[in-house]
Amino acid sequence: MRVFWEELKKVMNWKLLLAIFLFSLMYYKMFISYHMNMEYCDPYALGTIKTSGVLLKKYGATVSPDELKDFEKNYVAKAKMALNQKIAGLEDFRKAKITDADQLDNVNDGTEKGNALYEKLVEELDNAGSSGRLETPEERDGPYILYICARNEADSLSVYPEQVKQLKTGGIESRKEQTVLPQLVSSAWSGLARDFAVLLLVTSALIAAPCLVRENRANVKGLAYSAKKGRKLFTVQFAAVLAGALLAVLAQAAGFFALYIFGCHKVDQQFWNCYMSNIAAYPETFGQYIAADAVTTLFFALGMALLSFAVSKLCRNYVSLMAAEVPLLFLVGRLSVWSLQNSFETKRMAACAAAFLIPMAVCLFLLHREKTTDMV
């Protein structure tokens, strides 16, 4: 056990951890921050999520045709009434002889003049009642944004029966009632999952790849084999690398999900029990989809660590290590992203099994050969 802890210390040395930390900060800034923060900075995005939240709270995870009529009567109509009251109190609308939301829609007729007037009027609606300070997106979801989001949601729900008929014609069975999960929420998570999977692959590769190259360059293999238990050192190193990669991946995951749960995406939690797809063949909820993505990325990250360990065993210097690692990282990254796009299908399960079991088999083969090969 003492040898294991010493090997783990070598794997988790502070210089390497600092490099991974700095790389992670840069990666978050360049890729993950967009899906984590920027997508939800748009008032229309927040208005859509707020409207879907109303549907979820009032009708549940799916909406029936009768519930849609009630939504149009009691929510969309009230949102339109509030917008009309706001329009009636603004000078520019009176000058343009616009008294309600329908007339405002007709202004946007596709001409340059009409579009310019429409943008000017919408800007006045957004700024009406502003305190003069920079407002947060939550404070900007006024009557116009709420009405537009409610109307768009109602229009989307109203065409669902026709979509069901079209899918049935193609042999695809759909749910009788449409899920209230916003497309924005599911697409934002998909982008986050893909970017985070790549970060975990790089993290596990950085942890495992340099392990044995250091010893190969120092030619300590003969010294280790001269000891009574020297042949078991490779097994201990294998366990230390796997443990180190697991710790690093779990630390990355803890930070990622802390940002996801307590950051801008905390509003997503209300949709975790909503169906991910309207196709009946996919029974998973949004929460189950998140859990499946987390397990998938974990298997791929550990598989990458095992693969990097095997490559490290065969490389004599860092140049050859980089030449072997970069293509492998690219290929495994492409496979992980492809797997994340296949939901609960058999393809995903097969890809996860292959990504972990094949590198494990290679490492076990190397372990066996290490115990049976004679030193020259």
Side-chain angles (χ1 to χ4, degrees), residues 152-364:
N152 291 343
E153 189 69 28
D155 291 343
S156 175
L157 292 169
S158 63
V159 300
Y160 181 67
E162 185 63 28
Q163 294 175 351
V164 171
K165 293 179 181 178
Q166 293 177 358
L167 290 172
K168 192 172 184 179
T169 303
I172 301 175
E173 192 69 25
S174 301
R175 304 185 192 282
K176 295 180 180 179
E177 300 177 354
Q178 185 174 359
T179 178
V180 300
L181 176 67
Q183 180 66 29
L184 171 70
V185 172
S186 59
S187 63
W189 167 256
S190 297
L192 279 171
R194 290 193 299 268
D195 290 342
F196 184 62
V198 174
L199 177 61
L200 288 189
L201 291 178
V202 175
T203 299
S204 59
L206 290 175
I207 287 289
C211 177
L212 297 180
V213 175
R214 292 189 295 259
E215 296 189 358
N216 289 340
R217 295 184 66 199
N219 293 319
V220 299
K221 187 175 182 181
L223 180 62
Y225 275 41
S226 66
K228 184 177 180 180
K229 296 184 178 180
R231 296 260 180 181
K232 296 182 179 180
L233 179 61
F234 187 64
T235 304
V236 176
Q237 291 173 328
F238 170 74
V241 166
L242 191 58
L246 181 60
L247 289 174
V249 166
L250 291 179
Q252 290 275 30
F256 172 80
F257 280 104
L259 290 174
Y260 180 76
I261 293 174
F262 300 107
C264 295
H265 283 268
K266 62 183 178 182
V267 295
D268 295 0
Q269 298 176 36
Q270 60 185 319
F271 302 109
W272 283 0
N273 289 326
C274 297
Y275 290 114
M276 187 67 184
S277 173
N278 289 314
I279 299 177
Y282 300 101
E284 70 272 10
T285 63
F286 182 46
Q288 292 172 338
Y289 190 83
I290 292 175
D293 282 352
V295 173
T296 299
T297 53
L298 176 62
F299 272 102
F300 271 94
L302 293 180
M304 188 66 209
L306 295 173
L307 199 59
S308 299
F309 180 76
V311 170
S312 178
K313 171 65 177 173
L314 302 175
C315 293
R316 303 294 301 178
N317 54 64
Y318 290 113
V319 175
S320 60
L321 176 66
M322 291 179 61
E325 276 291 302
V326 172
L328 284 175
L329 191 59
F330 177 79
L331 290 175
V332 176
R334 292 286 294 178
L335 181 61
S336 67
V337 171
W338 173 83
S339 178
L340 290 171
Q341 296 172 345
N342 283 281
S343 188
F344 276 78
E345 296 181 7
T346 307
K347 296 177 182 178
R348 167 182 280 205
M349 301 181 204
C352 286
F356 182 76
L357 294 179
I358 293 177
M360 176 63 78
V362 172
C363 288
L364 292 177

Side-chain angles (χ1 to χ4, degrees), residues 11-194:
V11 171
M12 306 288 285
N13 68 85
W14 69 270
K15 292 181 181 179
L16 180 58
L17 294 180
L18 178 60
I20 292 174
F21 176 75
L22 294 177
F23 173 80
S24 299
L25 289 180
M26 181 180 67
Y27 189 87
Y28 267 85
K29 185 69 175 178
M30 294 175 61
F31 300 102
I32 295 181
S33 63
Y34 173 76
H35 297 294
M36 190 69 77
N37 300 313
M38 298 303 294
E39 284 190 333
Y40 282 14
C41 287
D42 181 14
Y44 289 93
L46 292 172
T48 300
I49 294 173
K50 186 174 182 178
T51 302
S52 298
V54 171
L55 288 168
L56 177 65
K57 186 175 181 180
K58 193 168 184 178
Y59 307 114
T62 57
V63 178
S64 66
D66 292 337
E67 291 170 339
L68 172 59
K69 293 179 181 178
D70 181 74
F71 174 71
E72 292 176 333
K73 179 180 179 181
N74 294 313
Y75 189 83
V76 179
K78 290 180 180 179
K80 185 176 182 180
M81 186 182 302
L83 176 59
N84 291 339
Q85 291 175 354
K86 177 68 72 174
I87 289 175
L90 298 177
E91 182 65 24
D92 284 349
F93 283 84
R94 288 195 292 268
K95 291 180 180 180
K97 297 181 180 180
I98 296 174
T99 59
D100 59 26
D102 294 331
Q103 291 180 345
L104 176 60
D105 288 337
N106 294 332
V107 170
N108 191 13
D109 56 4
T111 64
E112 184 176 349
K113 183 178 179 181
N115 292 341
L117 178 59
Y118 178 80
E119 291 176 1
K120 178 182 177 182
L121 295 175
V122 169
E123 183 179 359
E124 184 179 357
L125 275 173
D126 283 343
N127 294 327
S130 174
S131 60
R133 61 181 174 79
L134 183 63
E135 297 172 325
T136 63
E138 291 84 349
E139 294 172 319
R140 293 290 294 276
D141 58 351
Y144 178 72
I145 292 175
L146 290 179
Y147 167 66
I148 292 297
C149 293
R151 187 186 66 183
N152 291 343
E153 189 69 28
D155 291 343
S156 175
L157 292 169
S158 63
V159 300
Y160 181 67
E162 185 63 28
Q163 294 175 351
V164 171
K165 293 179 181 178
Q166 293 177 358
L167 290 172
K168 192 172 184 179
T169 303
I172 301 175
E173 192 69 25
S174 301
R175 304 185 192 282
K176 295 180 180 179
E177 300 177 354
Q178 185 174 359
T179 178
V180 300
L181 176 67
Q183 180 66 29
L184 171 70
V185 172
S186 59
S187 63
W189 167 256
S190 297
L192 279 171
R194 290 193 299 268

